[in-house]
Amino acid sequence: MPESTPEVLFVCVHNAGRSQMAAGLLDHHAAGRVVVRSAGSQPADQLNPAVVEAMAEIGIDISKEFPKPLTEDAVKASDVVITMGCGDECPYFPGKQYLDWKLEDPAGQGIDAVRPIRDEIDARVRALLAELLPGDKASD
């Protein structure tokens, strides 16, 4: 068992699609073993409805989530910061692990375009969880 609970922050521009899916998936698979946050450098007014629908299809309800602004405190509190297309707008702090996931943006896309993005994020989240909690069995 790790000495402390790993903390992960997912960041994209609007915090309405990719970062919300990643946070929902990691929260689901980690089952309380990882602190999960998401934020946007320019948060939208609401989540992308196709993203909410794509997540509901796999049994994860993110309908009550909302886009949140990126704060320095959220970055400072995180062990791993995963960016998804926010470029140089993400604050950098030494000692943090930064990953940049190149993913298609689901903004303005229908459910058929969002599903493969969701599935790609799911594969990456499962791999990340295996790194964060080696030897630990991820839940499904």
Side-chain angles (χ1 to χ4, degrees):
M1 214 44 207
E3 288 182 22
S4 64
T5 304
E7 299 193 30
V8 177
L9 171 64
F10 293 102
V11 183
C12 65
V13 176
H14 299 298
N15 191 220
R18 294 168 289 191
S19 57
Q20 291 282 354
M21 285 193 284
L25 286 160
L26 181 56
D27 191 54
H28 171 77
H29 294 310
R33 296 168 297 159
V34 176
V35 175
V36 182
R37 295 181 190 84
S38 71
S41 53
Q42 299 171 21
D45 294 332
Q46 63 183 32
L47 296 191
N48 177 333
V51 165
V52 174
E53 182 181 348
M55 294 296 286
E57 286 180 348
I58 60 169
I60 300 174
D61 180 7
I62 62 168
S63 63
K64 292 182 177 45
E65 294 296 327
F66 57 92
K68 294 168 275 309
L70 177 62
T71 65
E72 284 193 14
D73 288 344
V75 177
K76 284 180 186 175
S78 301
D79 300 305
V80 181
V81 179
I82 299 174
T83 58
M84 304 172 179
C86 68
D88 295 332
E89 295 185 41
C90 299
Y92 177 83
F93 293 97
K96 306 291 175 195
Q97 179 182 356
Y98 287 86
L99 301 171
D100 186 38
W101 288 358
K102 304 279 188 226
L103 297 160
E104 190 174 332
D105 190 347
Q109 303 282 340
I111 186 73
D112 290 335
V114 172
R115 283 184 191 113
I117 300 169
R118 174 203 64 204
D119 295 344
E120 171 69 17
I121 292 170
D122 191 34
R124 291 179 187 221
V125 160
R126 288 172 186 261
L128 174 68
L129 187 57
E131 287 178 32
L132 292 173
L133 304 172
D136 207 276
K137 173 75 179 97
S139 69
D140 279 313

